[in-house]
Structure formats: structure tokens, C-alpha cells
């Protein structure tokens, strides 16, 4: 799947020098990372993000998910090894494994109860059949939150993405990776540094902007995030940007005043560009396991979360949380983060994910 844009933007800029002179003073700082003398619209070659071989990408995904696979599927395989029949004790052990893999208590209960019923009806005889049933059910859960996965793009004006989440989940990194992805898809991208709490936060976004070659709108530390966003949106509208990605400060979902600030930011965006933000993307860190559920719940009470990004699926054994998130919420997972590098962001493909999770060298021959 080539990203999730339905509409190809015309990318026609109405910008001119006179406009620049009028606009720039309103914005404290614009870090224009477009190479000098280069017109973005004419030179960005829409390049497929799937230029790598699909098989190579899949192998990479399975490698990155090794720990979650180790905590889940490898344990299931060890449990089933040498067993010819399924008995109730085996299902008890399976239940324990699923719980430990952060799949969630209710999801686990559903999965194991389903197996118990099938066993009682003599529909389940062989552990390999149970393994396949598990994979199918997990795929079903992953697919359940995936509709509609694609966003309907505005007919006119820029597509605005507001990125939210608790501290340190990977918002800024995901923004950098998304900016790269959209740029490669031929979109003209602008980043807005609305995390004004820390100077380092603005710096981090600028570094990403430089790395992926997109401009960054920023003001000084302590500036009102809504003001930075307002200026950023104005700047983007006048210059015909296709995609605006807004970085917001990390905030604990339990801190009322910070969550109220998010409402205000959301309102300001909507006033400036009716219908925006078109995407409120909540970033969840897979390593925090079940806490992601309460984060999604609390953020959804404050703003209408329209999409999720699940980061740090590499290096964690708690990747099973993604199954629980899909089961609990009707919010599509747009992307998964499988590393710190620019290419470590993948479109979330539920079937591929389940396949990678259940992949073993032995089953592939
Ligand atoms: N391994 C791994 N690390 C990641 C991933 N995504 C982000 N990180 C790392 O997580 C750390 C925090 O990422 P940031 O992007 O700064 O997180 P943030 O949500 O913007 O943090 P605050 O702005 O402080 O709230 C950094 O060290 C990132 O490199 C991922 O998918 N995998
Ligand atoms: Mg950040």
C-alpha cells in the first residue's frame, strides 16, 4: 500500500516574493530546508516507498518483531512441541502465554474460550490447527479497527495532521519519518513546532526537517503553541503546502490542564482551516503495554482521535498490545514504528503484521 492518500495534490503554490515579505515577520522562524535555488514542486520525484523488494521488507519486519514473537508465538510453539492432542492443561498454559504477551485479559479470554468451545465440540484436535486458529483470530482482531484505513482528503487546502501523545512516546520521531514518507510520495510538507515547552524539542524537529528536506515553522521556547500553529497554517496556506504536520508537547493523559490546552489547539486549527485537523494522530509506545489503552481512552475523551501510530515495536516483547488496541478501539492504526531511523515507519497492514508475528523459519521450510 502506497501510503494512505486518496487524492493526489496539485501542489500549486501561489507564493511570491511580495507575499514572503509580508508573511515572514509574523513567523519567528522558518527553517527552509529546501536546497537553494530548487523549486520543490518541480523537482520532487514521486518515488515509490515500496521500491525495496516486498520480501526484503517482510523479512525486516519479522526481524524487528523478534522479541514480541519470542514472547508470544515461540512460546506457543514450545508449548505445542511434541504434543499430539490438545487437553485442558495445554489451554491453561496457552492462556498464561497470551496474558504475558500483553494481548490483554479480555482478548485472551475470548481466544481461549473459543478454543475450549471448539475442543468440546471435537472441532479441535491437533495443536497445529489451534495455532492456525489463533493466527486467524488475531488477524481478525487486527483487521477490525482497520476500516476505513484510508483518509478522505480535503478537496481544497492543506491536509492537517495534529500529532498528540504522552511524553517520550515517539511523536517527533514519527513526524520526521512521516514527513519523509509524504515527501517521497510527492507531497509538499511543512512541519510546525508547537511543542514550545523545551528548546530541545524545537531543535529536534528542526534536525528532522533538515534530514528529510522539509521546512519547519518555529518560534521561541515558551511561545503559545496555538499562536505558532496559527502562523504556521497561514504560512502553509499561502504557499500551497499539501500536508502540515503539527508536533505538540508530550502530555500526561491524566493532567486536566494540559488536556484542556489540547482542546484549545484543536479549536484554533479548526477556526483557521475549517474541517481541520483532518487527522488527530495519537502516538502510542508499544513498550508501555497496557497503559496504551488508558492513554487512547483519555485522549479520545479530549479530542477526536482519528488515527494511531504504534511506535517502538522493535525491541519490545509487549507488541501483543497492538492486538488489544485494535480490539478495544475503532481507531485505525496508520503506522507502526520499528526503529529510530527514517525508514523505520511502516504502513500498518494487519494481515502482514499477523503473518510476521507467526512467522517461523520452520513453517517456511
Ligand atoms: N526503537 C525505537 N525507538 C523509537 C521509535 N520511535 C521513537 N523512538 C525513540 O524514542 C525516543 C523518544 O522519541 P521522541 O520522538 O523524542 O518522542 P516524543 O513523543 O516526541 O517525546 P516528547 O516530545 O518529549 O514528549 C527517541 O530516542 C526516539 O529515537 C521506534 O519506533 N523504535
Ligand atoms: Mg517530541
Amino acid at each position: 500500500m502506497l501510503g494512505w492518500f486518496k487524492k493526489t495534490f496539485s501542489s500549486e503554490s501561489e507564493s511570491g516574493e511580495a507575499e514572503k515579505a509580508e508573511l515572514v515577520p509574523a513567523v519567528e522562524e522558518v527553517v527552509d530546508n529546501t536546497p537553494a535555488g530548487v523549486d520543490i514542486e518541480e523537482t520532487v520525484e514521486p518515488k515509490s516507498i515500496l521500491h525495496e523488494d516486498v520480501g526484503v521488507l517482510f523479512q525486516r519486519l519479522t526481524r524487528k518483531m523478534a522479541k514480541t514473537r519470542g514472547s508470544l508465538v515461540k512460546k506457543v510453539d514450545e508449548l505445542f512441541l511434541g504434543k499430539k492432542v490438545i487437553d485442558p492443561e495445554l489451554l491453561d498454559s496457552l492462556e498464561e502465554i497470551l496474558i504475558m504477551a500483553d494481548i490483554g485479559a479480555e482478548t485472551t479470554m475470548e481466544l481461549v474460550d473459543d478454543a475450549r468451545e471448539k475442543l468440546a465440540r471435537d472441532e479441535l484436535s491437533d495443536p497445529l490447527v489451534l495455532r492456525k486458529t489463533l493466527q486467524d483470530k488475531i488477524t481478525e482482531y487486527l483487521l477490525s479497527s482497520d476500516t476505513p484505513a484510508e483518509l478522505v482528503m480535503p478537496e481544497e487546502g492543506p491536509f492537517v495532521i495534529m500529532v498528540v501523545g504522552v511524553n517520550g512516546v515517539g511523536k517527533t520521531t514519527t513526524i520526521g519519518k512521516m514527513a519523509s514518507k509524504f515527501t517521497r510520495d510527492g507531497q509538499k510538507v511543512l512541519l510546525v513546532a508547537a511543542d514550545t515547552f523545551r528548546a530541545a524539542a524545537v531543535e529536534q524537529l528542526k534536525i528532522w526537517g533538515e534530514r528529510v528536506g522539509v521546512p519547519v515553522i518555529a518560534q521561541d521556547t515558551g511561545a503559545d503553541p496555538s499562536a505558532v500553529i496559527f502562523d504556521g497554517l497561514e504560512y502553509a496556506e499561502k504557499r500551497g503546502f499539501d500536508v502540515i504536520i503539527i508536533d505538540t508537547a508530550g502530555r500526561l493523559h491524566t493532567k486536566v490542564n494540559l488536556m484542556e490546552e489540547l482542546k484549545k489547539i484543536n479549536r484554533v486549527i479548526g477556526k483557521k482551516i475549517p474541517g481541520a485537523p483532518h487527522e488527530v494522530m495519537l502516538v502510542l509506545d508499544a513498550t508501555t503495554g497496557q497503559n496504551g489503552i488508558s492513554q487512547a481512552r483519555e485522549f479520545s475523551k479530549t479530542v477526536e482521535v482519528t488515527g494511531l501510530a504504534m511506535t517502538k515495536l522493535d525491541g519490545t516483547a509487549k507488541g501483543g498490545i497492538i492486538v488489544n488496541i485494535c480490539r478495544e478501539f475503532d481507531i485505525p492504526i496508520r503506522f507502526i514504528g520499528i526503529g529510530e531511523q527514517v525508514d523505520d515507519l511502516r504502513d500498518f497492514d494487519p494481515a502482514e503484521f499477523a503473518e510476521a508475528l507467526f512467522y517461523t523459519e520452520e513453517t517456511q521450510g
Side-chain angles (χ1 to χ4, degrees), residues 102-325:
D102 266 287
I103 275 194
E106 281 186 41
T107 317
T108 298
M109 237 152 61
E110 263 183 36
L111 288 169
V112 179
D113 283 351
D114 179 70
R116 283 200 181 103
E117 276 169 31
K118 283 202 168 101
L119 189 64
R121 289 201 303 264
D122 273 340
E123 287 171 17
L124 203 60
S125 49
D126 154 358
L128 273 181
V129 176
L130 176 55
R131 188 187 194 277
K132 179 74 174 66
T133 311
L134 268 183
Q135 179 171 351
D136 290 348
K137 287 290 272 181
I138 284 178
T139 310
E140 224 174 84
Y141 286 132
L142 293 174
L143 279 165
S144 67
S145 74
D146 197 47
T147 43
E150 293 201 347
L151 291 164
V152 179
M153 310 299 296
E155 282 303 319
E156 270 181 39
F159 180 57
V160 182
I161 305 173
M162 174 166 90
V163 178
V164 302
V166 305
N167 310 71
V169 287
K171 293 178 293 301
T172 309
T173 307
T174 302
I175 290 168
K177 294 170 180 175
M178 281 198 284
S180 163
K181 209 172 180 73
F182 300 154
T183 304
R184 280 181 291 166
D185 272 355
Q187 313 289 339
K188 187 175 165 184
V189 182
L190 181 73
L191 302 182
V192 179
D195 178 357
T196 56
F197 278 170
R198 300 171 297 119
V202 176
E203 273 316 303
Q204 191 191 355
L205 195 69
K206 284 188 197 164
I207 291 169
W208 270 107
E210 253 170 58
R211 193 178 297 164
V212 302
V214 306
V216 179
I217 296 282
Q219 288 185 16
D220 289 338
T221 318
D224 178 358
S226 297
V228 184
I229 292 170
F230 188 90
D231 289 348
L233 295 179
E234 183 139 312
Y235 184 88
E237 271 192 312
K238 296 221 166 143
R239 282 171 173 73
F241 279 88
D242 303 315
V243 182
I244 305 165
I245 314 178
I246 300 166
D247 190 16
T248 64
R251 65 198 72 231
L252 257 184
H253 51 299
T254 48
K255 287 268 183 339
V256 177
N257 57 333
L258 293 179
M259 295 306 270
E260 283 301 314
E261 185 195 57
L262 209 53
K263 277 189 191 159
K264 181 185 165 197
I265 291 176
N266 200 37
R267 271 198 310 273
V268 167
I269 298 173
K271 270 198 181 146
K272 185 78 186 89
I273 300 180
H278 309 93
E279 169 87 336
V280 176
M281 182 177 285
L282 174 67
V283 180
L284 297 174
D285 174 344
T287 62
T288 62
Q290 296 302 317
N291 197 262
I293 299 281
S294 49
Q295 289 169 27
R297 200 162 283 139
E298 293 307 316
F299 272 90
S300 295
K301 280 185 198 160
T302 308
V303 283
E304 195 195 338
V305 176
T306 53
L308 301 172
M310 175 76 69
T311 61
K312 310 189 196 178
L313 276 164
D314 57 305
T316 179
K318 299 186 176 195
I321 183 63
I322 202 165
V323 181
N324 203 14
I325 290 278

